Amino acid sequence: MITKIPKLTRRSFVIGSTALGAGLAIGLKIPFGPSVVRAQDGSPEVTAWVVIRPDDTVVIRIARSEMGQGTLTGLAQMVAEELECDWSKVKTEYPTPGQSVKRKRAWGDFSTGGSRGIRDSHQYVREGGATARIMLIQAAANAWNVPTSECSAANSVITHKPSGRKTTYGKVAEAAAKLTPPEKPALKDPTEWKLIGKSVKRLDTMDKLTGAQVYGFDLKFPGMLNAAIKDCPVFGGKLKSYEAAKVTSMPGVRHVVTVGDSAVAVVADTWWQAKTALDALPIVWDEGENAKVSSDSIAAMLKEGLDADQAFVANQNGDVKQAIAGAAKKVEAVYAYPFQNHAPMEPMNATAKYTPDRCEVWVPTQNGEAAFAATLAASGLPADKCEVYKLHLGGGFGRRGAFHDYVTQAVLIAKQIPGTPVKLLWTREEDMLHGRYHPVMQCKLVGAFDSSNNLTGLHMRLSGQSILTSVRPEALQQGKDPLVFQGLNPSGDFGIGYSVPNLLIDHAMRNTHVPPGFWRGVNINQNAIFLECFMDEMAHAVGQDPLEFRRKLMTKHPKHLAALNAVADRAGWSKPAPQGVYRGLAQMMSFGSYVAACAEISVKDGDKIKIQRIVAATDCGYAVNPAQIERQIAGSFVYGLSGLFLQECTVKDGHIEQTNFNNYDSMRIAQMPKVESIVMPSGGFWGGVGEPTICVAAPAVLNAYFAATGKRIRTVPLKNHGITLV
Amino acid sequence: MARLTINGKTHDVAVDPSTPLLWAIREQVGLTGTKYGCGIAQCGACTVHVDGAAVRSCVMPVAAAEGKKITTIEGLANGRALHKVQKAWLDNEVPQCGYCQSGMIMAVAALLREKPKPTDADIDARVTNICRCGTFQQVREAIHAAAKA
Ligand code: FES
Ligand code: FES
């Protein structure tokens, strides 16, 4: 199925939206004129988003990537809601980036990250569905020679009310595709939604139960060869030499090739042969200056930033210095968060086929357009000679969005073996060595109180890495990385939920040679721990209940407060916890959603934590598929708590020390707490779902651990403190 | 050369006897439902049944699997009729990305054969697969549902 290439077309049309990337010429009109754009099987495209087959099958195009988060189903629900089609006849397909470029970005942004799949595209995908519905009704009305106002559509059936005549979408699609689309289709009021907000079943489950789902890692092409690769373990280091002759006669080995200036690959009939030969290949690296860097040297650099004079300011009101100087009581703490690897279950891979006339890549990617750009750059071919085919991802979590190093490598290898498809697969070990790691960050917090124990000032100084400096320097604001302050901004999608009379939140940027990346949740992970654990510390320092202490600071933040109250109520915060059970709270706003958690834990022997239950609330504005949102919440906690308890990438001699899941562990089912989700959409905005809740689990558990033991843990992961999750 | 019996069919695979069963299944036999996640018996993505027992095929050499009855995810269903674990997985919508689920389902199917009504403690002890998407809450519910089916 994945080798099917949607037919390309000369016609370029677009469903326009301001959400489309700036800087690209975007037509705001959809198809017009007599000729019809057709899908691969000849069925007419009614709009770029909707293809309808004669048998009434509705194919909905999905530009974003499905990596487990359910966006495929959610986005299809949005289109189908406006289309008024029969949900049981809905299928989906990915348009290709190359096609999108040819059609002036007909499908908008392909990037799937930042919990944006739905919240950034809800408007234009719904318009794509509404436009198609209007055109289909128009086509039926034309055939019947009646006004459209007398016709209505439901379940893929169009009815002429006065006469009772009926037809189906499949029958009129051909005629509809020739019509002029309406200028600006009206969208339903949320109160009229029938499909959005319903927990319909995912569209992509069955093949994942039988082994039939084809991931990038499973691709097979006639004549395909398999590649295994080693890149210089020290970031920034180079490949010096290797002795190919030592392995060329090993079974199956076809080629040993240099990849860029830092890697070498063995290409063989099977991947196991390639990997076996690569392990036997003598390689000499030129590790360079970075080989002197260690976790300790990085920590020392960050520590210096905690008290540095210069820092980028993101949130400031009043005069915090004065408030601290004149405080009756001061509370101070330093926290730290480590490098972490994404470790999606499917290791990095890409399959490439190169000829001087055409370069094609098949890849699990969170951003088809970025993979396309990497293909162009590595192949040296123009856009009309390249194509990228996306496959469902075996997990992404941010690793497969902004970074396509594995695509570049696959193309560079394929280029040396023209005409032969080559599948590059990384070992888990290569994935551990060459991640785009969760940034390292330290944070010093100082709280100031007056003599009546009112919080008068808070200074939060972050010191550590900037992802944007490394990945998208053009997005910096006069050197400042605004992304560092997720959850700490004065307002917006990452707005802080507290009002403090004198507040200063700033960042001393300290970058390392270890490449940072967007790790599910990104910077809210550490910011939530810093802020929410310190809130707890301050509450205890002045002898106040952590919930009441927060509430006093949250009166101007009703949505943050509502989420916090929801978990406190459900957990029964006002009543004592059962014997031996201790509670902790946290709240945050992230990716446009308001989230909160209450963790209930018990502790054995002082260092064995059992999480009895986590109550979690999310107000994501509109909830497209509540059952899938609950799964995202529970799943995000597995990811976040694995990070809290188990995961740290340490640096020695410039390289990452962890090699596989034996020393970079991930939570198992035995450690899984019961997660009680409260999905509380308050309407009027579109918040994210895949990432927001991840950040509240860790501080809620840490605060509960303090309640249980009186010990405050300020560095992650907990395994470094001898604490285990049981 | 090794002779393997997989999902009721015999395959002669031309590989070094030390080749892990996982790679023989994927690359010689061509069944790609069984996944690679770590290669060191940590994650369970490669779980298959060997004579009915759940085995991490990434660390079992083909030589050790010769003459034994191997079942992969592709052979779990009875023709078109899903195995009760697959059925429970479908009803409870367990998979997210799905990559770990072949191994997860095979581990659970082996558990249920031995313990048709597993307790939570049995599940904790026997299902040790990694799922980075974090489907554990649904996995547990679906195991209990399958046990009732
Ligand atoms: S691949 Fe075999 S246990 Fe991970
Ligand atoms: S469903 Fe994605 S790793 Fe388990």
Side-chain angles (χ1 to χ4, degrees), chain A residues 15-56:
Chain A
I15 291 179
S17 155
T18 49
L20 298 179
L24 282 149
I26 305 285
L28 293 179
K29 293 285 167 55
I30 355 185
F32 45 81
S35 71
V36 173
V37 181
R38 291 184 188 283
Q40 175 91 353
D41 66 357
S43 302
E45 228 186 66
V46 183
T47 68
W49 301 94
V50 177
V51 172
I52 296 180
R53 297 190 185 141
D55 67 355
D56 287 329

Side-chain angles (χ1 to χ4, degrees), chain A residues 193-212:
Chain A
W193 287 341
K194 290 178 286 197
L195 204 50
I196 296 176
K198 250 176 100 177
S199 294
V200 297
K201 296 273 182 186
R202 291 177 70 119
L203 298 167
D204 56 344
T205 299
M206 185 55 108
D207 283 354
K208 294 176 178 173
L209 308 177
T210 60

Side-chain angles (χ1 to χ4, degrees), chain A residues 315 317 455 458 487-490 495-501 503 505 528 531-533 535-536 538 546-547 549-557 560-561 564 585-588:
Chain A
N315 195 347
N317 57 258
L455 180 67
L458 174 64
L488 307 174
N489 291 323
I496 194 168
Y498 303 110
S499 298
V500 181
L503 178 74
I505 302 176
L531 181 63
E532 285 303 283
C533 290
M535 279 289 158
D536 220 65
M538 291 194 294
L547 176 62
F549 180 78
R550 285 180 173 83
R551 278 178 174 160
K552 279 191 286 184
L553 304 170
M554 294 176 76
T555 51
K556 295 202 186 95
H557 308 272
H560 292 79
L561 182 60
L564 181 64
L585 285 172
Q587 67 81 25
M588 206 76 177

Side-chain angles (χ1 to χ4, degrees), chain A residues 67 345 394-395 397, chain B residues 94-101 104 130-135:
Chain A
M67 48 186 163
M345 281 309 291
F397 313 118
Chain B
V94 175
Q96 289 188 26
C97 83
Y99 190 86
C100 73
Q101 297 296 341
M104 194 76 84
I130 292 177
C131 173
R132 293 291 287 148
C133 295
T135 58

Side-chain angles (χ1 to χ4, degrees), chain A residues 202 208 215 218 271 631, chain B residues 27 35 37 92-93 96-97:
Chain A
R202 291 177 70 119
K208 294 176 178 173
Y215 298 87
D218 300 326
W271 185 79
R631 283 161 174 74
Chain B
E27 303 198 291
K35 305 303 186 199
N92 288 272
E93 296 201 277
Q96 289 188 26
C97 83

Side-chain angles (χ1 to χ4, degrees), chain A residues 67-68 201-202 208-209 215 217-218 220 270-272 342-343 428 631 635 639 660 666 668-669 675, chain B residues 20 23 26-27 30 35-38 42 86 91-93 96-99 127-128 132-133 136-137 140:
Chain A
M67 48 186 163
K201 296 273 182 186
R202 291 177 70 119
K208 294 176 178 173
L209 308 177
Y215 298 87
F217 159 59
D218 300 326
K220 282 177 275 196
T270 70
W271 185 79
W272 184 253
H342 297 81
R428 176 62 60 194
R631 283 161 174 74
Y639 207 78
N660 204 320
S666 190
R668 315 296 162 115
I669 199 168
V675 176
Chain B
W23 297 102
R26 288 185 57 84
E27 303 198 291
K35 305 303 186 199
Y36 161 76
C38 68
Q42 288 289 315
Q86 292 169 313
D91 293 343
N92 288 272
E93 296 201 277
Q96 289 188 26
C97 83
Y99 190 86
V127 182
T128 55
R132 293 291 287 148
C133 295
F136 298 133
Q137 184 138 315
R140 191 183 297 281

Side-chain angles (χ1 to χ4, degrees), chain A residues 66-69 199-206 208-215 217-220 226 269-273 275 341-347 392-395 397 423 425-429 519-520 610 627-628 630-632 634-636 638-639 642-643 647 660-662 664-676, chain B residues 14-16 18-20 22-24 26-45 56 58 72-77 80 82 85-102 104-105 120-121 123-141 143:
Chain A
E66 178 58 55
M67 48 186 163
Q69 82 282 41
S199 294
V200 297
K201 296 273 182 186
R202 291 177 70 119
L203 298 167
D204 56 344
T205 299
M206 185 55 108
K208 294 176 178 173
L209 308 177
T210 60
Q213 177 70 55
V214 176
Y215 298 87
F217 159 59
D218 300 326
L219 282 171
K220 282 177 275 196
N226 291 274
D269 292 335
T270 70
W271 185 79
W272 184 253
Q273 292 168 332
K275 188 227 176 240
N341 189 303
H342 297 81
M345 281 309 291
E346 180 189 16
H392 286 352
L393 290 70
F397 313 118
K423 179 162 79 186
L425 170 68
W426 286 16
T427 56
R428 176 62 60 194
E429 287 78 6
W519 191 95
R520 190 176 189 175
K610 172 89 198 156
Q628 293 311 320
E630 284 179 21
R631 283 161 174 74
Q632 286 305 299
S636 77
V638 173
Y639 207 78
S642 291
Q647 297 175 342
N660 204 320
F661 288 122
N662 57 334
Y664 188 81
D665 204 356
S666 190
M667 224 171 113
R668 315 296 162 115
I669 199 168
Q671 298 158 307
M672 178 74 196
K674 187 160 166 270
V675 176
E676 276 180 41
Chain B
V15 293
D16 186 277
S18 68
T19 302
L22 167 66
W23 297 102
R26 288 185 57 84
E27 303 198 291
Q28 260 76 30
V29 181
L31 294 172
T32 55
T34 307
K35 305 303 186 199
Y36 161 76
C38 68
I40 56 165
Q42 288 289 315
C43 75
R56 296 193 167 170
C58 66
T72 70
I73 186 73
E74 290 90 345
L76 188 65
R80 290 182 65 87
L82 293 179
V85 175
Q86 292 169 313
K87 180 79 178 51
W89 250 237
L90 182 65
D91 293 343
N92 288 272
E93 296 201 277
V94 175
Q96 289 188 26
C97 83
Y99 190 86
C100 73
Q101 297 296 341
S102 297
M104 194 76 84
I105 289 169
D120 279 335
I123 294 170
D124 291 348
R126 291 287 299 275
V127 182
T128 55
N129 300 39
I130 292 177
C131 173
R132 293 291 287 148
C133 295
T135 58
F136 298 133
Q137 184 138 315
Q138 282 71 40
V139 167
R140 191 183 297 281
E141 284 167 15
I143 294 173

